[in-house]
Amino acid sequence: MGLQYALNFWILAVVFLPGVLGSGYGVEYSINPLCAIRGSTVVIPCSYKYPDSLRVETVMWCQDDEYCDKMLYVSHSSNTNISAEYRDQAEYLGNKEKNCTLQIKNITHKYAGVYTFRFTTNVETGKWSGKPGTTLRVDDGAWTVHYSERNLCAVRGSTVLIQCEYGYPEPHKVNSRMWSHNDVDCTGNPYVYHSNTRNINAEYTGRAEFLGNNVRNCTLQIKNIRETDAGEYRFRFTTNGCEKCGGPGVTLQVDELKVVMTSSTVNGTIREGDTVNLTCGTNSCSLSQSEFSWFKDNQTLPETQSTLHFSPISYHHTGKYSCALNERKVAVSNEVNIIVESNFNKIIIFTVVGILLIVLIGAVVIFIFMKRINSLSVDKTKEGTNKDSSKEKSGTSNRYSEESCELPDYGNVNIQERVYGNVNFELTEYENVNIKEMAE
């Protein structure tokens, strides 16, 4: 009976104990073996998990050692006991949280084998090995991903082509193809493109298109480029026995289209007869092979070159200019406003100013003349008044001397009668009477 209980106990332990101990722990690798050729660089994608209450202290990778107990590591967070073969070739790209990706450079046949990731936490029982590990195959065949250009520059709003070719040995057949953005292990999370249309980044929906096939072509097209599209793009494919990530990938730089104006003027004022050039370009991208569209006040111009030449410039060239690539108005540059000062306007202005000055001077002359005339009129009036006054005084004096005489008051004077011969004169008292001389 006791033996039966003991046997049942160990059966339960074997069935349930791994689940209990492994609850919350795990390591995930690629489903298929990784394939690489000699001299290439391979990235081994990896992720892991553990209970949130714990803290990871050490991380390590081992080759052909599923428990990492041989004490000879491909990579170790403390940088101890590293195999001489991997010291300058293996690089841990992960962290102490969730990512455990490993990169190995200059692949040789001795790197073929099974790679296992192991980590320990801050508790004694919190250790985990991701067995059975992931397999790396080193082949002399053509497991390749080749990019036509490693560095691309695109204008915001334009369309970019990332040209790509890949190869693999017979009798493998391609199962899936995918493009990733800023992801060294090509695992997407999410993808720019995936042939199985799974886990696609919403930012690339309707913009990213795979122009390749299942044989050799892996070209990717991205429309309406945005600033967030800048970064590294890598192609990855899987077969019925292997998978390949093409790294390093293609770096895309995104720049703004702009119009730059140069002119022969010195003080900044553009006048008729000056030479002005408008150039459509960017700070970083080379657009020498591109065809341009020019717009003036939002109307398309016939020119298709990168530079507009105005030599000499005239008044009718005044307006707001912008440019775009291949008539794609979604990638229109900034506007440059050209204001041309007309020589005809100068003549009009000078003429008007001259006329105004003449009118003003004439008005001033007339005002001064009229003021002088008024002054002379006033003087003559005063002179006439003085003459009339003198004449009046003179006339009065004459009349006084010739016509009248005011006699003194004889009211109180007694005049006695005197006899002159036999004639008697009787004087009567005159008071205030004018007497004129009369001749007998």
Side-chain angles (χ1 to χ4, degrees):
M1 179 68 70
L3 181 60
Q4 181 66 39
Y5 285 143
L7 183 59
N8 291 338
F9 171 80
W10 285 112
I11 291 175
L12 292 174
V14 170
V15 173
F16 293 107
L17 190 56
V20 173
L21 293 177
S23 178
Y25 292 88
V27 176
E28 294 183 0
Y29 309 105
S30 297
I31 297 176
N32 297 314
L34 300 176
C35 297
I37 61 174
R38 287 185 305 169
S40 66
T41 297
V42 66
V43 176
I44 303 176
C46 172
S47 64
Y48 65 106
K49 62 180 181 178
Y50 53 90
D52 295 336
S53 59
L54 302 183
R55 182 183 70 255
V56 174
E57 292 188 343
T58 58
V59 292
M60 62 206 79
W61 276 92
C62 307
Q63 180 188 11
D64 297 328
D65 182 8
E66 63 180 10
Y67 290 104
C68 287
D69 54 5
K70 294 181 180 179
M71 303 300 291
L72 194 60
Y73 306 106
V74 174
S75 170
H76 197 287
S77 55
S78 63
N79 202 29
T80 57
N81 296 329
I82 304 297
S83 172
E85 296 177 355
Y86 291 99
R87 182 166 298 278
D88 297 323
Q89 308 302 324
E91 180 182 1
Y92 183 69
L93 303 181
N95 51 46
K96 291 184 178 181
E97 295 176 359
K98 303 295 181 182
N99 188 358
C100 49
T101 300
L102 178 69
Q103 175 179 276
I104 305 175
K105 299 182 295 183
N106 298 322
I107 292 294
T108 63
H109 284 286
K110 61 184 177 183
Y111 291 151
V114 178
Y115 289 80
T116 304
F117 174 72
R118 177 177 172 82
F119 65 93
T120 65
T121 66
N122 56 328
V123 298
E124 183 63 27
T125 57
K127 302 176 182 179
W128 192 263
S129 293
K131 59 177 186 177
T134 183
T135 301
L136 173 63
R137 295 176 181 173
V138 179
D139 198 338
D140 290 330
W143 290 98
T144 60
V145 174
H146 174 71
Y147 307 106
S148 299
E149 294 182 79
R150 295 293 302 278
N151 293 283
L152 295 175
C153 189
V155 174
R156 182 181 60 84
S158 64
T159 297
V160 66
L161 281 178
I162 305 178
Q163 296 182 341
C164 168
E165 293 182 352
Y166 67 108
Y168 50 92
E170 297 291 345
H172 295 280
K173 293 183 179 180
V174 175
N175 292 330
S176 60
R177 306 164 309 278
M178 59 218 75
W179 278 91
S180 59
H181 180 217
N182 291 335
D183 193 355
V184 294
D185 58 8
C186 301
T187 57
N189 299 321
Y191 293 100
V192 175
Y193 164 82
H194 198 293
S195 57
N196 297 333
T197 63
R198 65 174 187 177
N199 200 18
I200 303 296
N201 191 328
E203 292 188 2
Y204 292 96
T205 301
R207 296 195 302 125
E209 181 182 0
F210 186 72
L211 303 181
N213 50 44
N214 284 338
V215 184
R216 292 289 183 265
N217 191 353
C218 48
T219 299
L220 177 71
Q221 175 180 273
I222 305 177
K223 302 176 182 178
N224 191 16
I225 289 293
R226 305 170 182 173
E227 292 182 4
T228 55
D229 294 336
E232 186 189 40
Y233 290 81
R234 296 192 180 197
F235 174 71
R236 171 172 166 244
F237 67 97
T238 64
T239 67
N240 53 344
C242 211
E243 67 178 58
K244 172 68 177 179
C245 172
V250 176
T251 299
L252 174 65
Q253 184 177 357
V254 179
D255 205 347
E256 291 284 342
L257 197 64
K258 65 178 182 179
V259 176
V260 177
M261 179 176 65
T262 57
S263 66
S264 60
T265 183
V266 177
N267 58 4
T269 302
I270 300 176
R271 297 181 175 86
E272 284 190 313
D274 289 342
T275 298
V276 176
N277 294 325
L278 297 181
T279 302
C280 185
T282 67
N283 291 329
S284 305
C285 299
S286 175
L287 305 176
S288 58
Q289 302 300 322
S290 301
E291 188 173 280
F292 297 84
S293 296
W294 284 96
F295 308 95
K296 177 188 176 185
D297 297 328
N298 293 323
Q299 300 297 317
T300 303
L301 298 176
E303 287 79 1
T304 59
Q305 300 301 316
S306 61
T307 302
L308 290 181
H309 300 280
F310 303 102
S311 181
I313 198 167
S314 61
Y315 180 73
H316 74 272
H317 290 136
T318 295
K320 295 180 179 179
Y321 291 82
S322 59
C323 66
L325 293 178
N326 302 322
E327 298 184 357
R328 296 181 181 272
K329 289 192 175 183
V330 292
V332 178
S333 70
N334 61 309
E335 287 186 335
V336 170
N337 191 17
I338 295 181
I339 300 175
V340 182
E341 189 176 286
S342 174
N343 294 331
F344 180 72
N345 290 341
K346 277 187 175 182
I347 295 174
I348 293 177
I349 292 172
F350 290 151
T351 303
V352 171
V353 171
I355 293 174
L356 291 176
L357 286 175
I358 292 173
V359 172
L360 180 61
I361 292 172
V364 171
V365 171
I366 292 173
F367 175 76
I368 294 173
F369 180 74
M370 294 301 296
K371 189 173 182 180
R372 288 185 177 180
I373 290 178
N374 291 335
S375 177
L376 292 174
S377 177
V378 170
D379 291 342
K380 289 182 178 180
T381 301
K382 287 183 179 180
E383 184 179 353
T385 302
N386 292 336
K387 288 182 179 181
D388 291 342
S389 177
S390 299
K391 288 180 179 181
E392 185 177 348
K393 288 181 181 180
S394 176
T396 302
S397 176
N398 291 335
R399 286 196 301 271
Y400 179 79
S401 61
E402 296 177 359
E403 298 178 358
S404 66
C405 177
E406 184 176 357
L407 295 179
D409 184 8
Y410 296 101
N412 298 322
V413 178
N414 293 325
I415 303 176
Q416 297 181 352
E417 292 181 352
R418 291 184 180 183
V419 178
Y420 294 89
N422 296 323
V423 181
N424 294 327
F425 290 90
E426 184 177 0
L427 298 175
T428 307
E429 181 178 347
Y430 294 91
E431 183 176 356
N432 298 327
V433 176
N434 292 328
I435 301 176
K436 296 181 180 179
E437 288 185 352
M438 301 184 65
E440 290 289 338

